[in-house]
PDB file of all heavy atoms in Angstrom:
ATOM      1  N   GLY A 228       0.495  -9.270 -25.610  1.00 94.00           N
ATOM      2  CA  GLY A 228      -0.296  -9.850 -26.682  1.00 94.00           C
ATOM      3  C   GLY A 228      -1.475  -8.949 -27.000  1.00 94.00           C
ATOM      4  O   GLY A 228      -1.871  -8.110 -26.184  1.00 94.00           O
ATOM      5  N   ARG A 229      -2.025  -9.104 -28.177  1.00 95.00           N
ATOM      6  CA  ARG A 229      -3.164  -8.285 -28.579  1.00 95.00           C
ATOM      7  C   ARG A 229      -4.383  -8.598 -27.719  1.00 95.00           C
ATOM      8  O   ARG A 229      -4.649  -9.756 -27.385  1.00 95.00           O
ATOM      9  CB  ARG A 229      -3.490  -8.531 -30.052  1.00 95.00           C
ATOM     10  CG  ARG A 229      -2.424  -8.067 -31.034  1.00 95.00           C
ATOM     11  CD  ARG A 229      -2.888  -8.332 -32.457  1.00 95.00           C
ATOM     12  NE  ARG A 229      -4.173  -7.671 -32.711  1.00 95.00           N
ATOM     13  CZ  ARG A 229      -4.931  -7.918 -33.769  1.00 95.00           C
ATOM     14  NH1 ARG A 229      -4.555  -8.838 -34.661  1.00 95.00           N
ATOM     15  NH2 ARG A 229      -6.088  -7.269 -33.936  1.00 95.00           N
ATOM     16  N   VAL A 230      -5.119  -7.517 -27.367  1.00 95.00           N
ATOM     17  CA  VAL A 230      -6.316  -7.667 -26.549  1.00 95.00           C
ATOM     18  C   VAL A 230      -7.475  -6.959 -27.240  1.00 95.00           C
ATOM     19  O   VAL A 230      -7.285  -6.077 -28.095  1.00 95.00           O
ATOM     20  CB  VAL A 230      -6.115  -7.085 -25.132  1.00 95.00           C
ATOM     21  CG1 VAL A 230      -5.069  -7.866 -24.364  1.00 95.00           C
ATOM     22  CG2 VAL A 230      -5.731  -5.609 -25.190  1.00 95.00           C
ATOM     23  N   THR A 231      -8.681  -7.354 -26.859  1.00 94.00           N
ATOM     24  CA  THR A 231      -9.891  -6.739 -27.389  1.00 94.00           C
ATOM     25  C   THR A 231     -10.262  -5.524 -26.548  1.00 94.00           C
ATOM     26  O   THR A 231      -9.564  -5.162 -25.590  1.00 94.00           O
ATOM     27  CB  THR A 231     -11.035  -7.757 -27.406  1.00 94.00           C
ATOM     28  OG1 THR A 231     -11.277  -8.205 -26.060  1.00 94.00           O
ATOM     29  CG2 THR A 231     -10.661  -8.955 -28.267  1.00 94.00           C
ATOM     30  N   SER A 232     -11.391  -4.911 -26.865  1.00 92.00           N
ATOM     31  CA  SER A 232     -11.824  -3.715 -26.148  1.00 92.00           C
ATOM     32  C   SER A 232     -12.190  -3.999 -24.698  1.00 92.00           C
ATOM     33  O   SER A 232     -12.133  -3.095 -23.862  1.00 92.00           O
ATOM     34  CB  SER A 232     -13.025  -3.086 -26.866  1.00 92.00           C
ATOM     35  OG  SER A 232     -14.100  -4.012 -26.946  1.00 92.00           O
ATOM     36  N   ASP A 233     -12.547  -5.237 -24.363  1.00 92.00           N
ATOM     37  CA  ASP A 233     -12.881  -5.573 -22.985  1.00 92.00           C
ATOM     38  C   ASP A 233     -11.683  -6.076 -22.195  1.00 92.00           C
ATOM     39  O   ASP A 233     -11.836  -6.532 -21.054  1.00 92.00           O
ATOM     40  CB  ASP A 233     -14.001  -6.620 -22.942  1.00 92.00           C
ATOM     41  CG  ASP A 233     -13.592  -7.934 -23.605  1.00 92.00           C
ATOM     42  OD1 ASP A 233     -12.502  -7.980 -24.213  1.00 92.00           O
ATOM     43  OD2 ASP A 233     -14.377  -8.896 -23.526  1.00 92.00           O
ATOM     44  N   GLY A 234     -10.473  -6.001 -22.766  1.00 93.00           N
ATOM     45  CA  GLY A 234      -9.258  -6.379 -22.054  1.00 93.00           C
ATOM     46  C   GLY A 234      -8.867  -7.826 -22.153  1.00 93.00           C
ATOM     47  O   GLY A 234      -7.817  -8.219 -21.625  1.00 93.00           O
ATOM     48  N   THR A 235      -9.639  -8.665 -22.816  1.00 95.00           N
ATOM     49  CA  THR A 235      -9.315 -10.082 -22.947  1.00 95.00           C
ATOM     50  C   THR A 235      -8.405 -10.308 -24.148  1.00 95.00           C
ATOM     51  O   THR A 235      -8.474  -9.564 -25.138  1.00 95.00           O
ATOM     52  CB  THR A 235     -10.595 -10.911 -23.098  1.00 95.00           C
ATOM     53  OG1 THR A 235     -11.320 -10.444 -24.251  1.00 95.00           O
ATOM     54  CG2 THR A 235     -11.471 -10.755 -21.868  1.00 95.00           C
ATOM     55  N   PRO A 236      -7.544 -11.331 -24.116  1.00 95.00           N
ATOM     56  CA  PRO A 236      -6.622 -11.577 -25.232  1.00 95.00           C
ATOM     57  C   PRO A 236      -7.366 -12.006 -26.498  1.00 95.00           C
ATOM     58  O   PRO A 236      -8.371 -12.732 -26.436  1.00 95.00           O
ATOM     59  CB  PRO A 236      -5.719 -12.695 -24.712  1.00 95.00           C
ATOM     60  CG  PRO A 236      -5.898 -12.711 -23.239  1.00 95.00           C
ATOM     61  CD  PRO A 236      -7.287 -12.232 -22.973  1.00 95.00           C
ATOM     62  N   VAL A 237      -6.846 -11.550 -27.624  1.00 96.00           N
ATOM     63  CA  VAL A 237      -7.377 -12.013 -28.904  1.00 96.00           C
ATOM     64  C   VAL A 237      -7.059 -13.490 -29.087  1.00 96.00           C
ATOM     65  O   VAL A 237      -7.900 -14.272 -29.539  1.00 96.00           O
ATOM     66  CB  VAL A 237      -6.797 -11.162 -30.052  1.00 96.00           C
ATOM     67  CG1 VAL A 237      -7.234 -11.718 -31.410  1.00 96.00           C
ATOM     68  CG2 VAL A 237      -7.231  -9.715 -29.906  1.00 96.00           C
ATOM     69  N   ASP A 238      -5.842 -13.881 -28.716  1.00 95.00           N
ATOM     70  CA  ASP A 238      -5.421 -15.286 -28.790  1.00 95.00           C
ATOM     71  C   ASP A 238      -4.869 -15.683 -27.423  1.00 95.00           C
ATOM     72  O   ASP A 238      -3.696 -15.421 -27.126  1.00 95.00           O
ATOM     73  CB  ASP A 238      -4.364 -15.473 -29.873  1.00 95.00           C
ATOM     74  CG  ASP A 238      -3.941 -16.939 -30.026  1.00 95.00           C
ATOM     75  OD1 ASP A 238      -4.649 -17.801 -29.483  1.00 95.00           O
ATOM     76  OD2 ASP A 238      -2.911 -17.190 -30.680  1.00 95.00           O
ATOM     77  N   PRO A 239      -5.667 -16.273 -26.546  1.00 94.00           N
ATOM     78  CA  PRO A 239      -5.159 -16.633 -25.215  1.00 94.00           C
ATOM     79  C   PRO A 239      -3.966 -17.569 -25.251  1.00 94.00           C
ATOM     80  O   PRO A 239      -3.139 -17.538 -24.332  1.00 94.00           O
ATOM     81  CB  PRO A 239      -6.377 -17.297 -24.548  1.00 94.00           C
ATOM     82  CG  PRO A 239      -7.561 -16.778 -25.290  1.00 94.00           C
ATOM     83  CD  PRO A 239      -7.096 -16.592 -26.703  1.00 94.00           C
ATOM     84  N   ALA A 240      -3.836 -18.409 -26.289  1.00 94.00           N
ATOM     85  CA  ALA A 240      -2.718 -19.357 -26.345  1.00 94.00           C
ATOM     86  C   ALA A 240      -1.380 -18.655 -26.498  1.00 94.00           C
ATOM     87  O   ALA A 240      -0.351 -19.131 -25.988  1.00 94.00           O
ATOM     88  CB  ALA A 240      -2.940 -20.359 -27.483  1.00 94.00           C
ATOM     89  N   SER A 241      -1.350 -17.518 -27.208  1.00 95.00           N
ATOM     90  CA  SER A 241      -0.093 -16.796 -27.426  1.00 95.00           C
ATOM     91  C   SER A 241       0.109 -15.655 -26.431  1.00 95.00           C
ATOM     92  O   SER A 241       1.173 -15.016 -26.455  1.00 95.00           O
ATOM     93  CB  SER A 241      -0.063 -16.240 -28.854  1.00 95.00           C
ATOM     94  OG  SER A 241      -1.130 -15.319 -29.062  1.00 95.00           O
ATOM     95  N   TYR A 242      -0.869 -15.381 -25.590  1.00 96.00           N
ATOM     96  CA  TYR A 242      -0.729 -14.315 -24.599  1.00 96.00           C
ATOM     97  C   TYR A 242       0.283 -14.740 -23.541  1.00 96.00           C
ATOM     98  O   TYR A 242       0.197 -15.838 -22.975  1.00 96.00           O
ATOM     99  CB  TYR A 242      -2.077 -14.015 -23.955  1.00 96.00           C
ATOM    100  CG  TYR A 242      -2.122 -12.729 -23.174  1.00 96.00           C
ATOM    101  CD1 TYR A 242      -2.340 -11.518 -23.796  1.00 96.00           C
ATOM    102  CD2 TYR A 242      -1.960 -12.731 -21.790  1.00 96.00           C
ATOM    103  CE1 TYR A 242      -2.398 -10.340 -23.081  1.00 96.00           C
ATOM    104  CE2 TYR A 242      -2.014 -11.564 -21.059  1.00 96.00           C
ATOM    105  CZ  TYR A 242      -2.237 -10.361 -21.712  1.00 96.00           C
ATOM    106  OH  TYR A 242      -2.285  -9.194 -20.974  1.00 96.00           O
ATOM    107  N   ASP A 243       1.265 -13.880 -23.251  1.00 95.00           N
ATOM    108  CA  ASP A 243       2.377 -14.232 -22.361  1.00 95.00           C
ATOM    109  C   ASP A 243       1.960 -13.980 -20.906  1.00 95.00           C
ATOM    110  O   ASP A 243       2.263 -12.934 -20.323  1.00 95.00           O
ATOM    111  CB  ASP A 243       3.613 -13.417 -22.726  1.00 95.00           C
ATOM    112  CG  ASP A 243       4.887 -14.021 -22.151  1.00 95.00           C
ATOM    113  OD1 ASP A 243       4.776 -14.879 -21.261  1.00 95.00           O
ATOM    114  OD2 ASP A 243       5.987 -13.636 -22.610  1.00 95.00           O
ATOM    115  N   TYR A 244       1.273 -14.957 -20.323  1.00 96.00           N
ATOM    116  CA  TYR A 244       0.835 -14.815 -18.937  1.00 96.00           C
ATOM    117  C   TYR A 244       2.000 -14.898 -17.962  1.00 96.00           C
ATOM    118  O   TYR A 244       1.950 -14.275 -16.890  1.00 96.00           O
ATOM    119  CB  TYR A 244      -0.211 -15.884 -18.599  1.00 96.00           C
ATOM    120  CG  TYR A 244      -1.578 -15.588 -19.150  1.00 96.00           C
ATOM    121  CD1 TYR A 244      -2.022 -16.181 -20.327  1.00 96.00           C
ATOM    122  CD2 TYR A 244      -2.429 -14.706 -18.498  1.00 96.00           C
ATOM    123  CE1 TYR A 244      -3.279 -15.910 -20.834  1.00 96.00           C
ATOM    124  CE2 TYR A 244      -3.688 -14.432 -18.994  1.00 96.00           C
ATOM    125  CZ  TYR A 244      -4.114 -15.032 -20.167  1.00 96.00           C
ATOM    126  OH  TYR A 244      -5.352 -14.747 -20.663  1.00 96.00           O
ATOM    127  N   ARG A 245       3.031 -15.647 -18.298  1.00 95.00           N
ATOM    128  CA  ARG A 245       4.181 -15.763 -17.391  1.00 95.00           C
ATOM    129  C   ARG A 245       4.870 -14.413 -17.250  1.00 95.00           C
ATOM    130  O   ARG A 245       5.193 -13.983 -16.130  1.00 95.00           O
ATOM    131  CB  ARG A 245       5.159 -16.807 -17.914  1.00 95.00           C
ATOM    132  CG  ARG A 245       6.464 -16.845 -17.120  1.00 95.00           C
ATOM    133  CD  ARG A 245       7.400 -17.895 -17.649  1.00 95.00           C
ATOM    134  NE  ARG A 245       6.893 -19.237 -17.391  1.00 95.00           N
ATOM    135  CZ  ARG A 245       7.497 -20.352 -17.803  1.00 95.00           C
ATOM    136  NH1 ARG A 245       8.621 -20.269 -18.502  1.00 95.00           N
ATOM    137  NH2 ARG A 245       6.981 -21.516 -17.518  1.00 95.00           N
ATOM    138  N   ARG A 246       5.106 -13.718 -18.351  1.00 96.00           N
ATOM    139  CA  ARG A 246       5.755 -12.414 -18.263  1.00 96.00           C
ATOM    140  C   ARG A 246       4.840 -11.397 -17.587  1.00 96.00           C
ATOM    141  O   ARG A 246       5.308 -10.521 -16.858  1.00 96.00           O
ATOM    142  CB  ARG A 246       6.155 -11.925 -19.658  1.00 96.00           C
ATOM    143  CG  ARG A 246       7.059 -10.688 -19.642  1.00 96.00           C
ATOM    144  CD  ARG A 246       7.790 -10.551 -20.963  1.00 96.00           C
ATOM    145  NE  ARG A 246       6.867 -10.269 -22.048  1.00 96.00           N
ATOM    146  CZ  ARG A 246       6.565  -9.030 -22.456  1.00 96.00           C
ATOM    147  NH1 ARG A 246       7.118  -7.990 -21.880  1.00 96.00           N
ATOM    148  NH2 ARG A 246       5.730  -8.848 -23.459  1.00 96.00           N
ATOM    149  N   ALA A 247       3.543 -11.502 -17.818  1.00 95.00           N
ATOM    150  CA  ALA A 247       2.606 -10.610 -17.142  1.00 95.00           C
ATOM    151  C   ALA A 247       2.644 -10.813 -15.629  1.00 95.00           C
ATOM    152  O   ALA A 247       2.615  -9.840 -14.858  1.00 95.00           O
ATOM    153  CB  ALA A 247       1.192 -10.834 -17.676  1.00 95.00           C
ATOM    154  N   ALA A 248       2.730 -12.060 -15.196  1.00 95.00           N
ATOM    155  CA  ALA A 248       2.795 -12.342 -13.766  1.00 95.00           C
ATOM    156  C   ALA A 248       4.095 -11.820 -13.166  1.00 95.00           C
ATOM    157  O   ALA A 248       4.102 -11.212 -12.087  1.00 95.00           O
ATOM    158  CB  ALA A 248       2.653 -13.845 -13.523  1.00 95.00           C
ATOM    159  N   ARG A 249       5.215 -12.021 -13.860  1.00 95.00           N
ATOM    160  CA  ARG A 249       6.494 -11.560 -13.333  1.00 95.00           C
ATOM    161  C   ARG A 249       6.578 -10.041 -13.316  1.00 95.00           C
ATOM    162  O   ARG A 249       7.133  -9.454 -12.373  1.00 95.00           O
ATOM    163  CB  ARG A 249       7.632 -12.153 -14.160  1.00 95.00           C
ATOM    164  CG  ARG A 249       7.758 -13.659 -14.017  1.00 95.00           C
ATOM    165  CD  ARG A 249       8.908 -14.207 -14.831  1.00 95.00           C
ATOM    166  NE  ARG A 249       9.038 -15.656 -14.666  1.00 95.00           N
ATOM    167  CZ  ARG A 249       9.965 -16.403 -15.274  1.00 95.00           C
ATOM    168  NH1 ARG A 249      10.823 -15.825 -16.109  1.00 95.00           N
ATOM    169  NH2 ARG A 249      10.009 -17.698 -15.054  1.00 95.00           N
ATOM    170  N   ASP A 250       6.052  -9.396 -14.332  1.00 95.00           N
ATOM    171  CA  ASP A 250       6.058  -7.934 -14.325  1.00 95.00           C
ATOM    172  C   ASP A 250       5.236  -7.381 -13.170  1.00 95.00           C
ATOM    173  O   ASP A 250       5.619  -6.383 -12.542  1.00 95.00           O
ATOM    174  CB  ASP A 250       5.512  -7.408 -15.652  1.00 95.00           C
ATOM    175  CG  ASP A 250       6.536  -7.483 -16.767  1.00 95.00           C
ATOM    176  OD1 ASP A 250       7.668  -7.922 -16.491  1.00 95.00           O
ATOM    177  OD2 ASP A 250       6.207  -7.116 -17.908  1.00 95.00           O
ATOM    178  N   ALA A 251       4.106  -8.001 -12.877  1.00 95.00           N
ATOM    179  CA  ALA A 251       3.270  -7.532 -11.770  1.00 95.00           C
ATOM    180  C   ALA A 251       3.983  -7.708 -10.428  1.00 95.00           C
ATOM    181  O   ALA A 251       3.905  -6.835  -9.551  1.00 95.00           O
ATOM    182  CB  ALA A 251       1.943  -8.283 -11.765  1.00 95.00           C
ATOM    183  N   ILE A 252       4.701  -8.816 -10.254  1.00 95.00           N
ATOM    184  CA  ILE A 252       5.387  -9.075  -8.988  1.00 95.00           C
ATOM    185  C   ILE A 252       6.520  -8.087  -8.766  1.00 95.00           C
ATOM    186  O   ILE A 252       6.732  -7.584  -7.656  1.00 95.00           O
ATOM    187  CB  ILE A 252       5.898 -10.527  -8.959  1.00 95.00           C
ATOM    188  CG1 ILE A 252       4.712 -11.499  -8.885  1.00 95.00           C
ATOM    189  CG2 ILE A 252       6.834 -10.745  -7.782  1.00 95.00           C
ATOM    190  CD1 ILE A 252       5.122 -12.959  -8.989  1.00 95.00           C
ATOM    191  N   HIS A 253       7.265  -7.765  -9.818  1.00 95.00           N
ATOM    192  CA  HIS A 253       8.450  -6.917  -9.686  1.00 95.00           C
ATOM    193  C   HIS A 253       8.201  -5.475 -10.106  1.00 95.00           C
ATOM    194  O   HIS A 253       9.154  -4.699 -10.242  1.00 95.00           O
ATOM    195  CB  HIS A 253       9.594  -7.505 -10.519  1.00 95.00           C
ATOM    196  CG  HIS A 253       9.955  -8.904 -10.145  1.00 95.00           C
ATOM    197  ND1 HIS A 253      10.624  -9.225  -8.982  1.00 95.00           N
ATOM    198  CD2 HIS A 253       9.728 -10.095 -10.775  1.00 95.00           C
ATOM    199  CE1 HIS A 253      10.801 -10.532  -8.907  1.00 95.00           C
ATOM    200  NE2 HIS A 253      10.273 -11.083  -9.991  1.00 95.00           N
ATOM    201  N   PHE A 254       6.952  -5.095 -10.332  1.00 95.00           N
ATOM    202  CA  PHE A 254       6.640  -3.744 -10.757  1.00 95.00           C
ATOM    203  C   PHE A 254       7.065  -2.682  -9.743  1.00 95.00           C
ATOM    204  O   PHE A 254       7.488  -1.587 -10.136  1.00 95.00           O
ATOM    205  CB  PHE A 254       5.138  -3.634 -11.055  1.00 95.00           C
ATOM    206  CG  PHE A 254       4.752  -2.397 -11.796  1.00 95.00           C
ATOM    207  CD1 PHE A 254       5.200  -2.172 -13.082  1.00 95.00           C
ATOM    208  CD2 PHE A 254       3.929  -1.446 -11.209  1.00 95.00           C
ATOM    209  CE1 PHE A 254       4.834  -1.034 -13.774  1.00 95.00           C
ATOM    210  CE2 PHE A 254       3.561  -0.303 -11.894  1.00 95.00           C
ATOM    211  CZ  PHE A 254       4.020  -0.093 -13.186  1.00 95.00           C
TER     212      PHE A 254
END
Side-chain angles (χ1 to χ4, degrees):
R229 294 182 57 193
V230 295
T231 60
S232 59
D233 62 353
T235 58
V237 174
D238 183 14
S241 61
Y242 194 83
D243 198 345
Y244 283 99
R245 172 179 291 177
R246 190 160 66 93
R249 293 181 179 180
D250 282 359
I252 292 174
H253 302 287
F254 193 65

